[in-house]
C-alpha cells in the first residue's frame, strides 16, 4: 500500500512541476524578446589618421545610428601622445534617414558621434555612413548596409 501511494505522490509532483514553470517562463521569454537590442558595426576604416566605424543599434523597429573615432594604434615609442585634433564629422543615414554634422575635438580617447534615430521595418535594410575630416586629410567614409532582425 505504501508503494502505490509513493508512485501516485511522485506523479502528482511531476505534473505540478511541468505545468508551473512552463506557464511562468512564457511571459519572461516574450518580454526579453521585445526589449533585446541588436548591434552591428562596419569594419574599422582609417580617416584623418584615426580609426573610425559606423554602428547601428536596433530595439524592435527603432534604430539608432552612431559613429566612433579612436586611435589607429598606439603611438610609437619615444613619440608624444597625439595632439588634440579638430574633426568635422558627418553621420548620414538613408534608412533611417537623417544627417548629423558636428565638430568634435579628438584628444586620444574614443569618441562616439551620434545619434540618427528612426523606425525601420524588421526586414528592412539599415544603411549609414560616417565621415571624418581634419586638415589636411579628406574624408574617406565608412559605410554600413545590414539587415538586423527585430
Amino acid at each position: 500500500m505504501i508503494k502505490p501511494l509513493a508512485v501516485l505522490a511522485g506523479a502528482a509532483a511531476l505534473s505540478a512541476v511541468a505545468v508551473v514553470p512552463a506557464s511562468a517562463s512564457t511571459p519572461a521569454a516574450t518580454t526579453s524578446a521585445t526589449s533585446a537590442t541588436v548591434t552591428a558595426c562596419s569594419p574599422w576604416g582609417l580617416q584623418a589618421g584615426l580609426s573610425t566605424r559606423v554602428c547601428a543599434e536596433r530595439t524592435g523597429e527603432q534604430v539608432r545610428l552612431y559613429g566612433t573615432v579612436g586611435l589607429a594604434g598606439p603611438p610609437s615609442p619615444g613619440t608624444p601622445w597625439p595632439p588634440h585634433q579638430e574633426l568635422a564629422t558627418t553621420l548620414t543615414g538613408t534608412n533611417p534617414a537623417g544627417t548629423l554634422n558636428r565638430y568634435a575635438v579628438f584628444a586620444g580617447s574614443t569618441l562616439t558621434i551620434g545619434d540618427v534615430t528612426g523606425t525601420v521595418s524588421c526586414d528592412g535594410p539599415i544603411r549609414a555612413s560616417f565621415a571624418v575630416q581634419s586638415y589636411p586629410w579628406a574624408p574617406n567614409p565608412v559605410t554600413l548596409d545590414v539587415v538586423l532582425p527585430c
Side-chain angles (χ1 to χ4, degrees):
M1 185 110 166
I2 293 176
K3 246 185 195 178
L5 186 58
V7 170
L8 198 54
L14 285 176
S15 66
V17 169
V19 171
V20 173
S23 63
S25 67
T26 303
T30 304
T31 303
S32 65
T34 58
S35 63
T37 300
V38 181
T39 304
C41 294
S42 69
W44 288 97
L46 187 62
Q47 298 183 69
L50 300 169
S51 186
T52 61
R53 69 179 175 173
V54 63
C55 298
E57 280 182 357
R58 175 189 281 283
T59 305
E61 289 192 347
Q62 291 297 310
V63 175
R64 173 182 171 254
L65 304 174
Y66 61 93
T68 59
V69 180
L71 287 174
S76 301
T79 60
W81 192 256
H84 290 99
Q85 188 173 348
E86 291 185 16
L87 305 173
T89 67
T90 304
L91 176 65
T92 304
T94 55
N95 199 22
T99 300
L100 175 69
N101 293 308
R102 184 174 141 197
Y103 287 98
V105 176
F106 182 76
S109 62
T110 301
L111 289 175
T112 300
I113 309 290
D115 295 317
V116 171
T117 58
T119 302
V120 177
S121 63
C122 289
D123 58 347
I126 298 169
R127 294 187 178 100
S129 68
F130 182 56
V132 175
Q133 65 182 15
S134 179
Y135 181 80
W137 295 290
N140 182 22
V142 289
T143 60
L144 179 66
D145 189 357
V146 67
V147 175
L148 292 176
C150 285

